Amino acid sequence: MKLKLIIPLISAILIGFISAKIVYSFYDELKNNYNAYFLQVGAYSNNDTLNTELKKLSNYVTDKDNNVTYVYVGITTNKSNAEKIKNLYTCKNMDVYIKPVLIDNIEFYSNLEQYDVLLSSVDKESDVLSINEVILSDYKEIVLQS
């Protein structure tokens, strides 16, 4: 009688333990990633085209994935700030794509949240571009370490 009770009890404990490990592993992956928006102006596989396009920009960051180099002109945690930056570049006849990205660097993300507070409170183009320049240089320094 005790054996009939112990086997299901041990099985339930094992199933619960395994389920908890699986759920925790998914949570552990997500808890260290934070939502942000990167404002992409291009993706280039040809270096000559890339260099020509970069001459048109004064402030940007690049990210290379496989043989494609992505060029970003802004980073924010706030969708309305992303739209604000996008509109500035759209007025300059540049196509900007708002790309949702997960950031895993807590130091940069914390700084970005503070810059977003400033960015939300300004409307002048020069102020927006100034704050955006600081954000991009902060990204280069903290995340890209260059």
Side-chain angles (χ1 to χ4, degrees):
M1 177 87 164
K2 288 183 182 181
L3 191 58
K4 287 183 180 180
L5 182 63
I6 292 176
I7 291 176
L9 183 61
I10 291 174
S11 297
I13 291 171
L14 283 175
I15 291 171
F17 178 76
I18 292 169
S19 298
K21 286 293 265 184
I22 291 169
V23 170
Y24 179 75
S25 69
F26 286 125
Y27 170 75
D28 198 34
E29 283 179 29
L30 292 176
K31 77 174 184 176
N32 294 325
N33 292 314
Y34 306 95
N35 292 322
Y37 300 99
F38 280 48
L39 287 93
Q40 180 181 322
V41 292
Y44 305 94
S45 56
N46 181 314
N47 283 338
D48 293 334
T49 307
L50 171 66
N51 292 331
T52 302
E53 292 302 314
L54 291 180
K55 289 177 185 175
K56 298 176 186 176
L57 300 170
S58 60
N59 201 22
Y60 60 87
V61 294
T62 59
D63 181 33
K64 192 163 186 155
D65 187 19
N66 294 327
N67 289 331
V68 178
T69 302
Y70 298 93
V71 179
Y72 303 106
V73 293
I75 305 170
T76 180
T77 62
N78 183 307
K79 183 77 170 181
S80 63
N81 284 345
E83 290 293 338
K84 186 185 290 189
I85 297 168
K86 178 181 177 178
N87 290 337
L88 291 177
Y89 284 96
T90 302
C91 290
K92 296 177 182 184
N93 295 322
M94 297 182 80
D95 292 328
V96 178
Y97 169 68
I98 298 174
K99 183 178 181 178
V101 175
L102 292 175
I103 296 176
D104 62 356
N105 187 306
I106 186 68
E107 180 184 0
F108 175 70
Y109 190 80
S110 296
N111 291 351
L112 186 57
E113 286 182 316
Q114 296 302 313
Y115 293 132
D116 274 337
V117 171
L118 290 172
L119 202 52
S120 295
S121 66
V122 297
D123 288 321
K124 256 176 68 178
E125 179 179 337
S126 60
D127 294 337
V128 171
L129 291 174
S130 228
I131 294 167
N132 192 49
E133 183 177 343
V134 173
I135 292 169
L136 292 174
S137 65
D138 203 38
Y139 182 80
K140 289 175 188 174
E141 183 181 321
I142 294 173
V143 178
L144 300 178
Q145 297 177 350
S146 61

